[in-house]
Amino acid sequence: MNKQILTETIEQLFANGKGLLAMDESTATANKRFAAAGIPQTEEMRRRYREMIITTPGLSESIGGAILFDETIRQQTATGIPFIQVLQDAGIIPGIKVDQGTKPLAGFPGEKITEGLDGLRERLAEYKTLGARFAKWRAVITIDKNIPTEACIAANMQQLALYAALCQEADLVPMVEPEVLMTGDHTIGRCYDVTEKCLKQLFDQLYLFNVDIEAIILKPNMVIAGEAASQQNTVDEVAAATVNCLRASVPVAVPAIAFLSGGQTPEMAAAHLLSMHKNFRNQLPWILSFSFARAIQQPALDTWKGQEANVAAAQRLLYERAKLDAAAVSS
Ligand code: 5MM
């Protein structure tokens, strides 16, 4: 591992308060979002949508890196410019999702395990040749009456560590994403406990497998009540719970944390991030930023509707959302 390469990548990704744009929806997820917006679910429409995103004027003012999907990293604009080149020319660092999605965890109803370790070393080498400088893997943890189980947490955290070690071997920054889902009616306290447990086990595994935690990015959920919970918390309560949980479980040696939005509205995700910075500025040993997908893209997707005539309006919304998130980080 060349640590300097990894460290420089992390510094550049988050320079001047910038964050990341997650646009790594798998084909199934992209199609699901298109279907909900009444957009045809074809490869060409996914290509047009991603072209609209990456050619957004001024995007690099607030976005330092974009996470791509395997299909997207190989695509080009309508005029034949590789997407990778568009991003690089704009000063946005390309990254790649390298997990291959989740499957039911055998023997543990309602729980998931992420796939994708087989052949990962070779895939990382190819993605690096294509221009990726960081790579993301998402583990999914569900909260319900009797879950998550110890087995589910242990299996997923170990896989995150194995993936991260392979990334560092390939001089790609691992973006480690243990997502505790917002689905369900659990309280913020339950989310805190599960998130803390997952993060502590994650770092145990990262140490065990010799991952250099000074050369990773952590992509966690915020600590928040389930979306069906009868009691939702204030913005400042969510911010406080999130910062306290991270301080209890994430070593100060980790350089950067970039949240997922997890189904929060764009406004709420930005408000929580802003509150964390305003209220806890002196208690944050890491860069605390964003790596949102839905919370940046959704207004633009709803406006685009697959129509060329809507591209400029959609791009303005994308630009504005990203700008607000970066402003929260810099507040
Ligand atoms: C873009 O969505 C990513 C997962 O896609 P698949 O489920 O199709 O594999 C996801 O990992 C995303 O990068 C993060 O969860 C952040 O997305 P949100 O929408 O939660 O900010």
Side-chain angles (χ1 to χ4, degrees):
M1 174 181 89
N2 183 330
K3 190 166 176 175
Q4 195 183 343
I5 292 177
L6 301 186
T7 303
E8 282 174 8
T9 298
I10 295 169
E11 282 170 8
Q12 287 169 23
L13 282 169
F14 298 105
N16 305 317
K18 293 184 194 185
L20 307 184
L21 169 60
M23 46 182 292
D24 59 316
E25 297 86 358
S26 58
T27 301
T29 303
N31 286 348
K32 195 169 87 182
R33 307 245 158 97
F34 277 19
I39 299 166
Q41 296 109 66
T42 64
E43 181 176 349
E44 173 57 13
M45 292 306 279
R46 292 192 297 276
R47 192 202 63 73
R48 286 192 203 179
Y49 177 61
R50 265 71 183 249
E51 176 171 345
M52 185 270 289
I53 291 177
I54 64 171
T55 58
T56 294
L59 190 63
S60 63
E61 292 168 22
S62 41
I63 297 296
I67 315 170
L68 307 176
F69 179 57
D70 183 77
E71 176 181 89
T72 319
I73 200 171
R74 304 169 194 283
Q75 287 177 324
Q76 304 181 343
T77 64
T79 57
I81 306 169
F83 281 1
I84 286 277
Q85 192 184 323
V86 174
L87 289 168
Q88 289 168 336
D89 290 350
I92 296 174
I93 298 177
I96 181 77
K97 179 231 290 296
V98 297
D99 68 70
Q100 295 181 317
T102 58
K103 289 278 163 57
L105 179 63
F108 293 89
E111 299 198 283
K112 299 262 174 65
I113 185 76
T114 303
E115 295 196 333
L117 284 176
D118 287 353
L120 181 57
R121 179 177 271 125
E122 292 72 27
R123 288 195 291 123
L124 291 175
E126 191 207 357
Y127 288 136
K128 195 169 171 209
T129 309
L130 289 171
R133 291 174 56 192
F134 66 104
K136 196 203 78 175
W137 179 291
R138 172 171 170 253
V140 172
I141 303 294
T142 307
I143 297 180
D144 207 342
K145 199 156 176 247
N146 297 311
I147 60 174
T149 60
E150 296 288 339
C152 177
I153 296 174
N156 275 289
M157 298 311 126
Q158 184 176 81
Q159 293 214 341
L160 278 167
L162 291 167
Y163 128 86
L166 282 164
C167 288
Q168 291 189 339
E169 178 189 85
D171 291 335
L172 292 167
V173 177
M175 181 175 223
V176 179
E177 182 180 8
E179 176 173 5
V180 177
L181 294 178
M182 275 174 66
T183 46
D185 60 2
H186 51 271
T187 63
I188 192 171
R190 179 105 164 93
C191 180
Y192 185 114
D193 292 343
V194 172
T195 302
E196 181 182 24
K197 189 169 190 173
C198 289
L199 290 174
K200 285 181 171 171
Q201 289 202 27
L202 171 65
F203 284 98
D204 284 348
Q205 292 295 318
L206 292 171
Y207 287 125
L208 183 65
F209 287 97
N210 277 342
V211 174
D212 186 339
I213 64 160
E214 293 181 342
I216 69 163
I217 299 165
L218 176 68
K219 178 165 174 168
N221 51 283
M222 295 184 193
V223 174
I224 190 166
E227 57 198 6
S230 52
Q231 195 200 333
Q232 295 294 328
N233 300 85
T234 65
V235 167
D236 286 347
E237 285 169 347
V238 170
T242 303
V243 169
N244 288 339
C245 183
L246 293 175
R247 284 176 55 87
S249 48
V250 181
V252 296
V254 170
I257 296 175
F259 291 108
L260 58 93
S261 57
Q264 300 178 59
T265 63
E267 293 76 16
M268 290 309 286
H272 290 143
L273 192 57
L274 178 63
S275 175
M276 287 181 225
H277 279 277
K278 277 175 72 173
N279 296 325
F280 298 97
R281 171 151 303 288
N282 299 325
Q283 297 177 48
L284 306 176
W286 342 263
I287 291 168
L288 196 67
S289 185
F290 60 92
S291 174
F292 299 153
R294 285 164 287 181
I296 294 179
Q297 292 184 45
Q298 200 60 48
L301 177 63
D302 293 339
T303 295
W304 179 58
K305 296 195 188 80
Q307 306 291 325
E308 193 58 32
N310 297 332
V311 165
Q315 288 180 326
R316 269 196 300 281
L317 288 174
L318 193 83
Y319 171 86
E320 282 165 14
R321 280 297 358 143
K323 204 72 182 162
L324 285 167
D325 294 327
V329 172
S330 301
S331 66

